[in-house]
């Protein structure tokens, strides 16, 4: 398998790559990850089942979309494909280091800059992708509340029903989304889509980098909301963001709705206590109307 993979990489880069050593890399939640190394080249490779090729193809396209915005560094995708019974994505290898207040500030600035990248086609993207292992539907939609209600909350609620999750007020919450987002008219913004702390990093030289995205054009607040979901990013990140592109009033109220999407997704991926957490979030949101 590794020899075939070397051939794919050689073909993609035009530089002969062979005799590599491979070392497992920890820290991912969905795929098996490896460092592939020859004497002169190094790559980051993720493997999954063969039928997951479209997931990796969408990840590569998403990374290129973000790279094209020229605002924040992402790992450059080299190639995707299937070898033996595995699908794979190959990315440039990046030596990762630790953040400092200064580099977190820069990450906030650069994310805010990326959020000024818009799309004339509205909310969505030209292809669907995945969030964790869950399909994420990106059908272009003119209205943000409709997009978020149907393709984000509605879709996760449907998946939850198939999983046996009963959110008694789920339909009521979905119907209330236009009201919860009333008077809020965001510009479509290129978002990372899955910005928890494991997907924000720094190169060894201190350059901010965002990994493993689930991008689309949406309300930029979804990214900031997710950074706050599991404990929050360092304060310097929010200072950098707000100095560059301040959030509009009402963000604190919308944050709970936006993060419900991720908690429903966690319920669909992992089950457990996320069901109860989603139920409580739905009650709080409905009570706020
Ligand atoms: P998964 O899709 O399985 O969640 P990630 O893309 O999040 O996997 O990668 C897992 C870990 O590998 C990251 O948390 C990071 O530490 C490391 N990593 C990711 N991309 C690279 C890269 N291009 N070079 C070096 N290390 C990387």
């Amino acid at each position: 398998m590794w020899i075939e993979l070397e051939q794919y990489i050689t073909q993609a880069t035009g530089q002969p790559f062979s005799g590599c050593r491979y070392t497992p890399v920890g820290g991912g939640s969905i795929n098996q990850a490896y460092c592939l190394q020859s004497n002169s080249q190094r790559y980051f490779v993720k493997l999954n089942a063969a039928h997951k090729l479209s997931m990796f193809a969408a990840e590569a396209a998403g990374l290129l979309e973000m790279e094209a915005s020229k605002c924040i560094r992402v790992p450059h995708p080299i190639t995707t494909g299937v070898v033996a019974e595995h699908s794979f994505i190959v990315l440039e290898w990046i030596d990762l280091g630790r953040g400092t207040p200064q580099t977190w500030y820069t990450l906030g600035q650069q994310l805010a800059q990326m959020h000024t990248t818009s799309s004339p086609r509205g909310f969505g993207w030209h292809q669907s992708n995945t969030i964790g292992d869950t399909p994420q539907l990106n059908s272009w939609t003119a209205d943000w509340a409709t997009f978020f209600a149907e393709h984000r909350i509605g879709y996760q609620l449907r998946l939850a029903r198939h999983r046996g999750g009963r959110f008694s007020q789920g339909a009521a919450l979905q119907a209330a989304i236009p009201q919860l987002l009333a008077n809020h008219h965001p510009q479509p913004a290129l978002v990372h889509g899955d910005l928890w702390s494991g997907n924000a990093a720094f190169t060894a030289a201190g350059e901010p980098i965002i990994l493993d995205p689930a991008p689309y054009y949406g309300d930029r607040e979804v990214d900031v909301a997710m950074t706050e979901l599991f404990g929050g990013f360092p304060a310097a990140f929010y200072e950098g963001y707000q100095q560059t592109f301040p959030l509009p009033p009402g963000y604190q109220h919308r944050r709970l709705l936006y993060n419900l999407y991720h908690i429903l997704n966690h319920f669909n991926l992992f089950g457990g206590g996320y069901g109860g957490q989603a139920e409580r979030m739905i009650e709080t949101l409905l009570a706020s109307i």
Side-chain angles (χ1 to χ4, degrees), residues 200-225:
F202 302 91
T203 66
E207 185 182 13
I209 178 156
I210 47 181
L211 308 168
D212 205 14
Y216 60 100
Y217 289 86
D219 181 357
R220 65 195 176 101
E221 292 179 0
V222 299
D223 272 350
V224 183

Side-chain angles (χ1 to χ4, degrees), residues 76-231:
H76 181 69
I78 309 289
T79 182
T80 61
V82 175
V83 284
E85 71 277 22
H86 299 291
S87 57
F88 66 83
I89 184 169
V90 179
L91 307 176
E92 69 168 313
W93 176 269
I94 297 172
D95 278 323
L96 299 177
R98 294 178 66 82
T100 63
Q102 180 54 50
T103 57
W104 277 105
Y105 185 92
T106 308
L107 174 58
Q109 283 181 315
Q110 294 185 347
L111 181 73
Q113 281 153 6
M114 190 182 88
H115 284 167
T116 63
T117 307
S118 195
S119 163
R121 299 182 67 182
F123 299 96
W125 195 37
H126 62 76
Q127 70 184 101
S128 291
N129 46 15
T130 52
I131 174 101
D133 217 10
T134 311
Q136 177 168 264
L137 307 185
N138 293 324
S139 318
W140 290 114
T141 306
D143 176 65
W144 168 244
T146 306
F147 178 86
F148 195 74
E150 285 181 13
H151 300 308
R152 294 295 179 261
I153 299 297
Y155 183 71
Q156 291 283 348
L157 285 170
R158 274 205 300 288
L159 288 184
R161 270 199 300 282
H162 289 138
R163 225 181 174 281
R166 302 212 180 287
F167 297 103
S168 51
Q169 311 240 60
L173 188 271
Q174 188 181 339
I177 289 176
Q179 225 179 316
L180 287 163
L181 295 178
N183 306 318
H184 180 57
H185 302 290
Q187 281 292 309
L190 178 60
V191 297
H192 175 285
D194 194 9
L195 197 55
W196 67 288
S197 58
N199 287 341
F202 302 91
T203 66
E207 185 182 13
I209 178 156
I210 47 181
L211 308 168
D212 205 14
Y216 60 100
Y217 289 86
D219 181 357
R220 65 195 176 101
E221 292 179 0
V222 299
D223 272 350
V224 183
M226 192 174 191
T227 67
E228 296 199 76
L229 181 55
F230 302 114

Side-chain angles (χ1 to χ4, degrees), residues 1-51:
M1 181 186 92
W2 298 107
I3 291 175
E4 252 188 281
L5 198 51
E6 288 172 350
Q7 288 164 352
Y8 268 96
I9 295 172
T10 299
Q11 203 168 22
T13 63
Q15 291 176 8
F17 179 63
S18 62
C20 73
R21 301 178 294 285
Y22 57 92
T23 322
V25 177
S29 42
I30 301 294
N31 307 291
Q32 290 165 265
Y34 294 89
C35 173
L36 243 64
Q37 185 164 18
S38 71
N39 289 336
S40 56
Q41 299 171 55
R42 230 174 352 158
Y43 297 97
F44 181 75
V45 178
K46 295 198 278 190
L47 301 179
N48 208 315
H51 70 273

